[in-house]
Amino acid sequence: MAEENLSVVLHAQGDLRLEKRPVPEPGPNEVLLQMHSVGICGSDVHYWQHGRIGDFVVTKPMVLGHEASGRVVKVGSAVRHLKVGDRVAIEPGAPREMDEFLKNGRYNLSPTIFFCATPPDDGNLCRYYKHSANFCYKLPDNVTFEEGALIEPLSVGIHACRRAGVTLGSTVLICGAGPIGLVCLLVAKAMGASQVVITDLFPERLTIAKELGADFQLTVKRGDGPQQLAKSVEDKLGAQPHVTIECSGVESSIQTAIYATRSGGVVALVGLGPDMVTIPLINAAIREVDIRGIFRYCNTWPMAIAMLAAGKVNVKPLVTHRFPLEQAVQAFETTRQGLGIKVMLKCDQNDQNP
């Protein structure tokens, strides 16, 4: 490991740099990973463009990246389940303390959780990265590094579909056909949804959704009324959906989600928009439509790995662009422009394969 630890570091809003950092030393319960594939997320781009997301503000240089996989190159003294050479997927959220949320299985809600590339915690868009070994999951031989990195967005879909109660025969509306809307589609179908309608402003995104298994696509035009769109969804399905998964965070889309959902159904809010939104809450209340929040994920990596290994979900078509780590700024610009679906950075100079 004589080579330097090239890292993608955000210094401040708009100031993204490639710089050499020391190779970290793993603690007793950590592993050192040689990073292989790291996807760029909308949140990475948002921090770069705006310097903050809500209350999370970049106040000091931060390594970006949290959709990642790599190979174990050094193992902490207390680690038993991993060895040098193991290929692993990284769950970026690792609780720091045994609080009530960790005890009851909802550790994603722990206020002190470590999370890659969320200020002040560094991410893993670099050559070498150390992480809690308990949150590194061994990949089967038939699951690629890129699939391993895509478990992170896939996990958002799993958590959303679980929280929304998607099950055999469910009909589902998904608002937004970006990367997260698409993984929600894949997971909903794998969990037994009989029919899925997906909406977006951009027809080219809906074309991809159709290829990934969406039964109906609905192109939204700016200015369409929420109740009008809800009626279009019902017309497509022949009935209102049991579940709506809202992936845009746009106020009008959240309104559509509530109006569109069948009485007694569930709306899951995945997309994050402004702090305050106006919604038809009384409509939801008198129809017993449950509105459920989604914050990241928990306990999803084992299921995701099992689904990928068994071929129940195919995430490979989501990767549309690849760049070597040295071209990170170009890769970020590609994502910012909304080109393709998922941009993947390749961190191992000697292995640029998927």
Side-chain angles (χ1 to χ4, degrees):
M1 261 172 304
E3 60 180 308
E4 78 294 338
N5 185 19
L6 192 65
S7 307
V8 178
V9 185
L10 180 65
H11 280 254
Q13 180 179 352
D15 185 1
L16 190 63
R17 305 181 201 173
L18 269 169
E19 56 190 48
K20 293 171 183 178
R21 291 193 157 199
V23 174
E25 189 60 36
N29 294 298
E30 296 176 326
V31 286
L32 179 65
L33 304 170
Q34 180 176 13
M35 299 307 297
H36 187 284
S37 296
V38 182
I40 299 178
C41 172
S43 69
D44 292 317
V45 173
H46 200 278
Y47 279 121
W48 168 42
Q49 293 293 300
H50 302 280
R52 66 183 299 157
I53 294 179
D55 296 334
F56 296 107
V57 183
V58 178
T59 55
K60 63 182 183 59
M62 176 180 78
V63 179
L64 290 172
H66 61 266
E67 306 180 355
S69 61
R71 186 180 272 108
V72 177
V73 289
K74 197 180 273 190
V75 178
S77 57
V79 177
R80 297 285 170 266
H81 70 290
L82 293 172
K83 62 184 189 304
V84 171
D86 283 348
R87 299 161 61 251
V88 298
I90 302 166
E91 179 170 1
R96 285 187 167 96
E97 55 187 309
M98 180 78 76
D99 58 13
E100 60 165 311
F101 300 105
L102 180 51
K103 286 175 182 171
N104 68 23
R106 299 181 72 177
Y107 57 85
N108 57 310
L109 303 178
S110 172
T112 58
I113 195 168
F114 167 91
F115 198 90
C116 291
T118 296
D121 301 328
D122 282 327
N124 43 32
L125 197 38
C126 49
R127 295 237 195 267
Y128 294 99
Y129 169 76
K130 69 172 184 179
H131 197 69
S132 167
N134 287 324
F135 290 82
C136 295
Y137 301 83
K138 195 171 173 186
L139 292 171
D141 292 341
N142 67 335
V143 177
T144 66
F145 279 115
E146 286 187 0
E147 289 176 293
L150 289 165
I151 291 173
E152 195 279 339
L154 187 62
S155 286
V156 176
I158 293 172
H159 189 58
C161 288
R162 276 181 182 168
R163 293 258 305 145
V166 175
T167 187
L168 206 58
S170 298
T171 53
V172 180
L173 165 64
I174 296 171
C175 303
I180 294 299
L182 296 174
V183 291
C184 289
L185 161 65
L186 290 173
V187 175
K189 278 293 191 178
M191 286 185 173
S194 58
Q195 292 188 304
V196 178
V197 184
I198 191 161
T199 66
D200 204 281
L201 287 164
F202 301 104
E204 58 274 18
R205 283 180 163 189
L206 293 174
T207 303
I208 295 163
K210 184 177 185 179
E211 288 164 5
L212 292 175
D215 299 281
F216 304 100
Q217 304 81 38
L218 188 58
T219 307
V220 178
K221 293 172 189 65
R222 293 187 195 277
D224 282 352
Q227 283 163 302
Q228 175 193 341
L229 280 168
K231 180 73 174 71
S232 301
V233 170
E234 185 176 359
D235 291 343
K236 291 257 188 201
L237 280 174
Q240 291 178 303
H242 299 105
V243 169
T244 299
I245 301 174
E246 207 298 304
C247 299
S248 74
V250 175
E251 182 178 76
S252 61
S253 186
I254 299 171
Q255 294 167 355
T256 300
I258 291 170
Y259 288 129
T261 305
R262 189 179 304 198
S263 297
V266 176
V267 174
L269 300 178
V270 183
L272 300 174
D275 278 353
M276 287 289 187
V277 291
T278 303
I279 58 166
L281 194 59
I282 305 310
N283 176 286
I286 60 174
R287 298 195 303 112
E288 294 192 7
V289 172
D290 292 354
I291 301 170
R292 299 185 188 169
I294 306 295
F295 186 66
R296 298 172 179 161
Y297 34 65
C298 57
N299 305 304
T300 54
W301 259 252
M303 176 191 274
I305 290 170
M307 286 164 72
L308 289 166
K312 299 291 181 197
V313 165
N314 180 16
V315 292
K316 288 176 180 174
L318 297 176
V319 181
T320 53
H321 294 73
R322 294 176 178 85
F323 292 89
L325 183 61
E326 297 84 342
Q327 292 174 23
V329 177
Q330 192 182 336
F332 268 76
E333 188 55 40
T334 302
T335 307
R336 188 187 69 78
Q337 291 173 16
L339 304 172
I341 308 172
K342 182 57 65 178
V343 176
M344 198 64 70
L345 278 157
K346 312 302 286 184
C347 303
D348 184 346
Q349 289 171 296
N350 301 316
D351 179 13
Q352 301 273 305
N353 297 310

